[in-house]
């Protein structure tokens, strides 16, 4: 996932901002990490470069 | 080639198919909707509509064919899909894709939103496998389209346009009426008779987009 994508993403539940935490990065792409919504207290995973922003009940 | 791409490439199953269109070559993984007549009709129409200055969102990108081809013209293209295999597939094909339901996780507006929705009526409960969900439009065939149309306003810029594909089986009049309630201009841009249905591509233009041009 390109880090610029952060600017267009929001929490799918409350539409609030997400906090990005990068675990591994490569050539400007985030490979592994999480998005965190403080309002909903939910983590959204980034795995193999792919952000999963499905609400928890749809995963 | 980055390590990530190499890892993804190794994960391509032997059953992956190749699809070729307009000079692009794409892999189609198992459990991902294989580009079909509706896909090609929609991408052809999109190329007639897209402007070089457009920021584009493709909802339900599948293997990413439309997003990839439109990206040759548009300023930027982002895609989403609810199917995890489709998200992996579009990533493999070089599309910037986010795993999510419609545009639930996007806070930005786009100049053009393209959607080849699940549009066939079924009796299922919408909880079936991913490949079924790619075409399953619920009992009316319009469940996902209706949800899409009720949310799309919030994701269109002042010059926003929407391009969707449907089938005669979905209910041409029902969908166009619903779009007319929401958009200033609704036009059928393409029509193709298939074996048991007619496929349509329908454009919706925001009123704001028109006042800008005057």
């Amino acid at each position: 996932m390109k880090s610029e994508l952060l600017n267009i993403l929001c929490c799918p539940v409350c539409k609030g901002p997400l906090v990005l935490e990068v675990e591994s990065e490569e050539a400007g792409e985030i490979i592994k990490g999480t998005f965190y919504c403080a309002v909903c207290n939910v983590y959204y995973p980034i795995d193999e470069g792919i952000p999963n922003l499905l609400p928890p009940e749809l995963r | 080639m980055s390590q990530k791409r190499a890892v993804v490439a190794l994960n391509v199953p032997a059953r992956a198919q190749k699809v070729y269109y307009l000079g692009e070559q794409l892999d189609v993984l198992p459990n991902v909707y294989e580009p079909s007549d509706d896909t090609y009709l929609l991408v052809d129409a999109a190329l007639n509509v897209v402007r070089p200055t457009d920021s584009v969102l493709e909802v339900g990108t599948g293997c990413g064919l439309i997003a990839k081809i439109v990206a040759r013209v548009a300023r930027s293209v982002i895609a989403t899909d609810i199917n995890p295999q489709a998200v992996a597939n579009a990533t493999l094909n070089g599309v910037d894709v986010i795993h999510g339901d419609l545009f639930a996780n996007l806070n930005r507006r786009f100049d053009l939103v393209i959607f080849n929705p699940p549009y066939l009526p079924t009796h299922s409960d919408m909880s079936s496998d991913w490949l079924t969900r790619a075409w399953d439009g619920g009992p009316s065939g319009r469940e996902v389209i209706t949800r899409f149309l009720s949310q799309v306003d919030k994701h269109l810029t002042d010059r926003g346009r929407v391009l969707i594909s449907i089938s005669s089986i979905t209910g041409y009049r029902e969908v166009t009426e619903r779009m007319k309630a929401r958009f200033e201009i609704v036009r059928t841009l393409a029509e193709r008779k298939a074996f048991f249905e007619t496929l349509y591509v329908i454009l919706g233009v925001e009123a704001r987009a028109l006042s800008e041009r005057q």
Side-chain angles (χ1 to χ4, degrees):
Chain A
M1 193 205 88
K2 293 194 184 86
S3 44
E4 306 98 83
L5 280 187
L6 175 64
N7 302 328
I8 70 163
L9 295 178
C10 64
C11 170
V13 180
C14 73
K15 310 291 175 195
L18 295 167
V19 178
L20 173 65
E21 201 162 294
V22 180
E23 281 175 46
S24 68
E25 194 173 351
E26 216 173 275
E29 295 220 7
I30 297 150
I31 306 298
K32 195 164 174 55
T34 51
F35 285 114
Y36 175 63
C37 174
V39 176
C40 302
N41 191 26
V42 171
Y43 287 91
Y44 299 96
I46 305 167
D47 263 319
E48 292 191 37
I50 298 168
N52 179 347
L53 282 144
L54 284 180
E57 70 271 16
L58 288 180
R59 281 181 209 164
Chain B
M1 182 183 270
S2 74
Q3 193 186 344
K4 174 203 143 203
R5 296 261 183 250
V7 169
V8 171
L10 283 176
N11 289 340
V12 177
R15 286 180 296 151
Q17 300 184 55
K18 298 270 186 212
V19 167
Y20 302 88
Y21 197 63
L22 299 179
E24 299 288 346
Q25 174 192 307
L26 293 101
D27 290 300
V28 182
L29 304 185
N31 296 315
V32 176
Y33 184 75
E34 190 186 334
S36 185
D37 285 351
D38 49 357
T39 318
Y40 300 123
L41 198 65
L42 184 57
V43 73
D44 289 351
L47 286 174
N48 286 330
V49 165
V50 65
R51 300 169 189 153
T53 52
D54 279 344
S55 64
V56 179
L57 169 69
E58 190 197 1
V59 174
T61 193
C63 74
L65 183 137
I66 294 176
K68 185 158 188 171
I69 290 177
V70 168
R72 306 201 300 210
V73 179
R75 180 165 58 89
S76 68
V77 179
I78 301 283
T80 69
D81 207 296
I82 196 169
N83 171 357
Q85 280 109 332
V87 175
N89 196 162
T91 303
L92 174 70
N93 286 323
V95 172
D96 286 331
V97 59
I98 296 148
H99 187 194
D101 180 23
L102 297 178
F103 11 55
N105 46 38
L106 297 172
N107 64 11
R108 212 183 80 188
R109 294 172 183 270
F110 298 86
D111 301 317
L112 178 63
V113 178
I114 303 171
F115 189 25
N116 182 6
Y119 57 61
L120 294 179
T122 58
H123 301 293
S124 80
D125 57 3
M126 305 274 293
S127 63
S128 30
D129 64 274
W130 288 117
L131 199 53
T132 307
R133 286 183 67 171
W135 52 262
D136 184 352
S140 71
R142 297 185 294 276
E143 315 289 307
V144 183
I145 296 169
T146 301
R147 213 152 55 79
F148 170 86
L149 289 175
S150 71
Q151 298 171 21
V152 72
D153 273 359
K154 294 196 285 285
H155 296 280
L156 288 174
T157 62
D158 285 350
R159 45 191 239 152
R161 290 150 292 145
V162 166
L163 203 57
I164 66 167
S165 54
I166 58 160
S167 157
S168 46
I169 299 168
T170 319
Y172 174 80
R173 191 194 298 170
E174 287 84 349
V175 174
T176 50
E177 287 302 316
R178 200 175 284 275
M179 287 183 71
K180 279 174 190 160
R182 211 159 278 279
F183 296 103
E184 187 64 24
I185 291 186
V186 176
R187 290 272 182 281
T188 304
L189 292 192
E191 189 175 333
R192 184 182 293 171
K193 289 214 177 354
F195 180 53
F196 60 93
E197 60 185 337
T198 304
L199 302 171
Y200 302 95
V201 173
I202 302 171
L203 173 76
V205 180
E206 284 273 90
R208 289 171 295 176
L210 296 174
S211 54
E212 185 197 70
R213 216 182 284 169
Q214 281 159 8

